[in-house]
Amino acid sequence: MTRRTDWAEYDAGPAVPEDRGHGGAGQYDDAVPGEAGYDVAPGEGAVDGPRRGGRSRAASGSRGRRRRGGFGDPPGAAQDDGSPDSSRAGRGEPSGDPAERARNICLRLLTGTPRTRKQLADALRKREIPDEVAEEVLSRFEEVGLINDSAFADAWVESRHHGRGLARRALARELRTKGVDSAVIDEAVGQLDSDQEEDTARELVARKLRSTRGLDRDKRLRRLAGMLARKGYPEGMALRVVRQALEKEGEDTEDLGFPD
């Protein structure tokens, strides 16, 4: 699992997440009033009362005012005449040095949840950070421990096996999609042995068994074995565990021919 360090060079204060409003991760999709692109000039959107001559402030024209962003507009779209540099600054994004931009992007993404090196590299590529700059920044983050794919994989296996009951095959598949190296995956899923997997499979079946009561035996078998298969358990283990659970409930399984 990645850890934070007292690395002053990369210490960044609170900023609007990099991907917010640009099609990034879901947690950054919901901009709120008061953030960049949603500022409202004094008096905008309300009538402040009649002025001399019967004119209201709301009717005084658009001079010196900023257009309110429409519903669904990305942050920063509300200013008609803002320069690219000013809108970028409003998002907390440095306007010049690509290495500084890359560091801030990575720090924002690492805030609250660990990420693999590939996940961060994909994010930098999406933000058009040059490859050589991204490689240098990511390597530096690895040196100081902010990126650690091995720790990420270990924590992922621990959390997803005990929290969701996933077997080694499903865990390995998930880690591959996150760009973790095959050797690192093998070491991480090696924390689980066959006995641990089977114990977890029995617990999963025991929790699901009650909801299948009243169904015929074969349908119960398919439903319970299918549940284990979706979580990555080998077919032989899944059928054996389900058969033993059904036998404890008085179901006759001798004709099924599954191995003990």
Side-chain angles (χ1 to χ4, degrees), residues 102-149:
R103 287 191 287 268
N104 280 306
I105 291 168
C106 290
L107 286 171
R108 290 189 194 102
L109 292 176
L110 288 168
T111 299
T113 182
R115 311 264 181 170
T116 65
R117 176 167 179 144
K118 182 180 183 301
Q119 287 177 307
L120 294 173
D122 289 344
L124 295 180
R125 191 174 299 111
K126 182 178 180 181
R127 299 296 296 159
E128 300 182 351
I129 300 296
D131 289 344
E132 61 275 13
V133 174
E135 182 69 20
E136 180 180 353
V137 170
L138 293 173
S139 294
R140 179 60 177 153
F141 270 52
E142 279 189 327
E143 289 176 10
V144 299
L146 290 173
I147 301 174
N148 187 330
D149 282 2

Side-chain angles (χ1 to χ4, degrees), residues 156-166 200 204 207 231:
W156 188 268
V157 168
E158 176 74 15
S159 173
R160 299 285 284 175
H161 178 72
H162 293 292
R164 298 290 302 277
L166 298 186
T200 303
L204 291 169
R207 291 202 296 264
K231 291 181 179 291

